[in-house]
Amino acid sequence: MTQNINPNYKHKSVRAVAHHMVLNAPSGLSAKVLWRVVGYTNYNTMMSELSAQDKHKLGADMLLPMMDACDSDAPVEYLAEERGGVFVKLPQAQPMHKSLTIQLANTVKECSEAAAVAAAHIIDGKVNKEEFKAFRKEDREAIAALLAMEFMMEQAAEGDE
């Protein structure tokens, strides 16, 4: 069981999520390498902070370097979920010469794909965990496309001033 900051608090901690992220880094880097990349003075200090050893606290400023080195957004995904939201990584900003029409077509495509996956999984009135994971992936891609469209529209509007 994960140690909570407050024993009466029902959720695991951001520290516990970061600890798991470092031990299972999608980047493939091991914790024995990560401490150097992240900027710790030694491996033991990093692991003591991540495992909440006595007198060791994980500094919030270490999360971004850890997330970069691990190639993971797990801590912000956890925080967003705990606050009733979702974390969606925005696509890389496209040059303005990319047509708004092309982005609109991509946005419609992504939304259609999310709707198609949802329709396929809810036809029987039941959704299992794997079906939900497939839908969530498509849904997040649709949200990212919508946000990219909004960003491009905003850039176009600012250029009109």
Side-chain angles (χ1 to χ4, degrees):
M1 177 157 182
T2 306
Q3 177 185 357
N4 293 320
I5 294 169
N6 174 347
N8 298 319
Y9 194 64
K10 64 181 178 171
H11 306 290
K12 60 185 172 183
S13 69
V14 174
R15 182 213 38 84
V17 173
H19 189 205
H20 183 266
M21 174 186 71
V22 164
L23 293 177
N24 303 282
S27 67
L29 296 177
S30 72
K32 295 273 187 184
V33 172
L34 278 166
W35 70 268
R36 287 186 179 104
V37 174
V38 172
Y40 276 92
T41 55
N42 65 61
Y43 169 79
N44 290 332
T45 300
M46 180 182 78
M47 294 310 291
S48 293
E49 288 182 10
L50 287 167
S51 60
Q53 298 297 316
D54 287 341
K55 299 182 183 177
H56 288 88
K57 303 237 186 255
L58 178 63
D61 289 340
M62 296 311 292
L63 280 177
L64 287 174
M66 280 183 186
M67 291 166 52
D68 286 342
C70 291
D71 192 26
S72 173
D73 297 315
V76 291
E77 288 170 348
Y78 167 75
L79 287 170
E81 188 174 304
E82 289 300 303
R83 297 301 303 150
V86 295
F87 172 75
V88 177
K89 187 174 275 194
L90 292 175
Q92 291 290 330
Q94 300 295 323
M96 274 313 291
H97 68 270
K98 182 177 179 185
S99 168
L100 283 167
T101 305
I102 292 171
Q103 181 59 43
L104 177 60
N106 183 55
T107 302
V108 170
K109 176 182 112 7
E110 293 294 346
C111 290
S112 297
E113 288 173 358
V117 168
H121 295 316
I122 62 174
I123 201 156
D124 62 358
K126 299 176 185 173
V127 178
N128 66 37
K129 288 182 181 183
E130 288 305 311
E131 291 171 332
F132 177 70
K133 282 176 66 175
F135 170 72
R136 176 180 265 176
K137 177 187 176 299
E138 293 297 332
D139 188 50
R140 300 293 163 81
E141 289 173 3
I143 292 168
L146 285 163
L147 291 171
M149 182 71 195
E150 178 183 315
F151 176 73
M152 289 183 75
M153 292 288 288
E154 181 180 32
Q155 283 186 321
E158 288 173 356
D160 189 42
E161 293 175 352

